[in-house]
């Protein structure tokens, strides 16, 4: 790829949430710009007035910021090719339409919607391609001017040359469409609103876009856009059409497969660096063929659009979760605490943060450090730590697996010995004291391994498996001394509650 003055763009429509497919497109454009030292432009395609919403644009820009895909030019920061919203560029499109009409490269089409539909139905009945027949192509300029002056509604169509339309696709190679399959496309509707293929081409040309990187659903649009470039005498950019992203059932990824919007992944507690890493792998791979973890700087250094494959990519939620676990472990603990706190606050387990919560924050840091390795995403932490805040001895004792363990004679002896010691103990429990007691109980009862530890773990946590006691006991003891929305029971309180249950 020529790295001199590479200019790419991401041009979404603000008609809904930013989804995985568009986010990958944005990422690939951003990586090409950063890898080549070029420019990455954000352009908002909002000519669909009925569906375009300001709140969608705000959410879209926020999601891109969260992913770290900030632009060099765009509606927020401006640039030499402003404005960057299509709704603010209508005068530009009108000016270019007049130029094409004056040069005879476009013409007015006075066919009504009914006439066009009748033509389409006839083509279907005769098993012919459903393309415009060119009825208005031969109307003289004088006749066209007269009809327009009389107030008759018209669309504007591009006059397609009688030759194949060709372009090179970086992902798919050379592509060719016959002129018959393209027909004479509409540039401006009879309502006066310019169509997508027209405005996107004008914008890309005027903004000096060198590489158009987008989804493969745009391949059929490309010959029309190539024809528009050629009509104006503009250089045709390089194209790269990215493969479709599929779900595990090999159908196009949609909501039925799970979360697909960037906002949803963010709400789950997926880190942006994990999602960016995963999106990069949906159709691209490292030169060594094995590396799968890349920080954004590493992606910038490694990424080449020529390595993108044309094969559909399968969205694997398990792999995304694996990558998220990887980045959760690498992340600054203070950052993870800040990100995790709102999940606990929403669950009613932590208070709203304030400058005076240093003790709670210190304790919360230990809690997160203990449980973070066992979750895929931050939203799972409140449920994973639920027994810390809301211990239910009756429910724990009634659990079928727990009940089976607790019915044994060994378990009853171990619990009785542990309860006797805790009742006689006045100081806060420490891991060292706990270890000493368990050694004594082992000698007294002859219990060992699971028979020794499982009954005590059930009494303290409500389950027979979980974190190591030396990490867990300080969580109980320190937490019980804090002022929290839910009182954290100490070891003593847990045992007393369990024995009485």
């Amino acid at each position: 790829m020529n790295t001199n003055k590479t200019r790419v763009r991401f041009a979404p429509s603000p008609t809904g949430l930013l989804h995985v497919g568009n986010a990958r497109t944005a990422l690939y454009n951003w990586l090409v710009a950063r890898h080549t030292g070029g420019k990455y432009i954000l352009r908002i395609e909002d000519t669909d007035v009925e569906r375009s919403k300001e709140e969608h644009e705000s959410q879209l820009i926020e999601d891109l910021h969260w992913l770290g895909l900030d632009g060099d030019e765009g509606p927020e920061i401006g640039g030499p090719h402003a404005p960057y919203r299509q709704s603010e560029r209508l005068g530009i499109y009108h000016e270019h339409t007049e130029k094409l009409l004056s040069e005879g490269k476009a013409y007015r089409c006075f066919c009504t919607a009914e006439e066009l539909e009748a033509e389409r139905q006839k083509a279907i009945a005769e098993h012919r391609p459903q393309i415009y027949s060119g009825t208005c192509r031969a109307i003289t300029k004088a006749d066209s001017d007269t009809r327009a002056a009389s107030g008759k509604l018209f669309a504007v169509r591009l006059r397609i040359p009688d030759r194949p339309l060709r372009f090179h696709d970086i992902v798919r190679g050379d592509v060719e469409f016959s002129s018959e399959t393209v027909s004479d496309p509409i540039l401006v509707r009879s309502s006066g609103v310019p169509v997508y293929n027209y405005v996107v081409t004008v914008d890309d040309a005027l903004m000096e876009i060198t590489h158009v990187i987008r989804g493969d659903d745009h391949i059929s649009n490309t010959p029309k856009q190539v024809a528009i470039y050629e009509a104006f005498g503009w250089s045709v950019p390089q194209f790269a059409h990215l493969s479709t992203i599929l779900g595990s059932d090999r159908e196009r990824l949609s909501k039925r497969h799970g979360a697909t919007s960037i906002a949803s992944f963010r709400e789950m507690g997926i880190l942006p660096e994990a999602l960016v890493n995963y999106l990069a792998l949906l159709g691209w791979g490292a030169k060594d063929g094995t590396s799968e973890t890349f920080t954004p700087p590493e992606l910038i250094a490694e990424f080449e659009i020529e390595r993108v494959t044309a094969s559909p990519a399968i969205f694997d939620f398990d792999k995304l979760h694996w990558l998220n676990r990887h980045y959760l472990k690498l992340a600054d603990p203070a950052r993870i605490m800040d990100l995790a706190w709102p999940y606990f606050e929403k669950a009613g387990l932590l208070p709203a943060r304030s400058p005076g919560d240093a003790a709670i924050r210190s304790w919360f840091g230990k809690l997160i450090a203990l449980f973070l390795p066992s979750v895929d995403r931050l939203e799972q932490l409140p449920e994973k730590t639920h027994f810390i805040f809301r211990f239910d001895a009756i429910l724990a004792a009634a659990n079928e697996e727990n009940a089976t363990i607790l019915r044994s004679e060994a378990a009853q002896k171990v619990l009785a010995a542990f309860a006797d010691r805790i009742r006689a103990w006045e100081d806060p429990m420490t891991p060292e004291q706990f270890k000493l007691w368990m050694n004594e109980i082992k000698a007294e009862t002859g219990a060992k391994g699971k028979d020794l530890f499982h009954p005590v773990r059930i009494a303290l946590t409500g389950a027979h498996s979980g974190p190591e006691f030396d990490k867990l006991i300080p969580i109980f003891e320190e937490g019980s001394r804090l002022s929290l929305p839910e009182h954290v029971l100490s070891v003593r309180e847990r045992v007393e509650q369990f024995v009485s249950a």
Side-chain angles (χ1 to χ4, degrees), residues 26 181 197 201 210 246-247 407 421 458 471 483:
T181 61
N197 280 315
T201 305
T210 60
L246 307 178
R407 277 194 293 267
R421 283 168 170 77
I458 292 170
K471 301 284 197 334
S483 178

Side-chain angles (χ1 to χ4, degrees), residues 28 170-171 241-243 283-284 303-310:
Y28 280 14
I170 296 172
V171 176
H241 289 97
L242 311 177
S243 64
W284 171 87
F303 189 85
E304 293 175 343
I305 193 68
E306 290 83 0
R307 290 189 54 78
V308 171
T309 177

Side-chain angles (χ1 to χ4, degrees), residues 30 34 39-42 64-65 68-74 76-78:
W30 183 83
R34 297 294 173 262
K39 297 293 184 182
Y40 168 68
I41 295 97
L42 175 65
L64 291 173
H65 282 327
L69 308 183
D70 292 325
D72 301 303
E73 300 173 26
E76 283 191 308
I77 55 180

